[in-house]
Amino acid sequence: MSDEELQKQFESNNPPTGSDRDTIAYREIFRVVAKEPSVTLRSNFAESIVRKILAKKKRESRRDMIWLSFGVVFLLIGLIVTAVVAGLKFELGFLREISGLLIFGVAVILLFNWIERRAFSKPSSNT
């Protein structure tokens, strides 16, 4: 008998009788496969998986922030070096005339930000 025929007979719950090696091997395989594995999971298994995923995301986020910080620092260093080498002189020009308006605008933005934090703060959870 071919392997496919033996497998089909075992799958149809009509196992062949015989003592050749293939039949004995298929009989043993289907006997072992038919048994339910005895696996038990801890009661907090899902929670531990979620905890590991969150910890990994936190590590990745921290690593991304470090790389972003390095990028910003090197960008600023490059900007300063380029300005010094090129002999760039920084002048406020028209900004001197509207500096009062800029200060007022910054103050209004900070006030709105403070009001928003006070009015829409998240309630603290006790979990």
Side-chain angles (χ1 to χ4, degrees):
M1 253 185 213
S2 70
D3 288 341
E4 289 84 16
E5 292 171 347
L6 280 172
Q7 185 172 348
K8 285 179 184 176
Q9 285 185 353
F10 275 100
E11 287 173 349
S12 66
N13 290 331
N14 186 17
T17 57
S19 61
D20 62 332
R21 284 185 337 174
D22 291 339
T23 306
I24 293 170
Y26 268 96
R27 190 175 298 126
E28 184 64 22
I29 289 172
F30 276 91
R31 183 187 66 77
V32 171
V33 171
K35 287 195 296 186
E36 192 72 28
S38 60
V39 175
T40 56
L41 298 176
R42 301 183 316 262
S43 61
N44 63 349
F45 179 75
E47 295 169 3
S48 66
I49 296 296
V50 170
R51 215 175 312 121
K52 287 179 183 179
I53 291 171
L54 291 176
K56 182 178 179 186
K57 287 202 176 277
K58 188 175 181 181
R59 281 192 311 269
E60 289 174 353
S61 176
R62 189 177 305 133
R63 186 182 66 222
D64 290 345
M65 287 304 294
I66 289 170
W67 281 113
L68 177 65
S69 301
F70 280 137
V72 169
V73 166
F74 286 125
L75 182 68
L76 288 175
I77 290 171
L79 177 68
I80 292 169
V81 168
T82 302
V84 168
V85 169
L88 181 68
K89 293 183 182 179
F90 185 71
E91 295 185 21
L92 294 177
F94 75 94
L95 292 177
R96 286 186 188 166
E97 297 171 7
I98 63 168
S99 62
L101 183 62
L102 289 176
I103 292 171
F104 176 74
V106 169
V108 168
I109 289 171
L110 291 174
L111 175 69
F112 284 157
N113 192 5
W114 180 77
I115 291 172
E116 180 185 19
R117 279 195 219 150
R118 291 288 190 175
F120 301 112
S121 63
K122 295 180 182 177
S124 61
S125 62
N126 294 332
T127 55

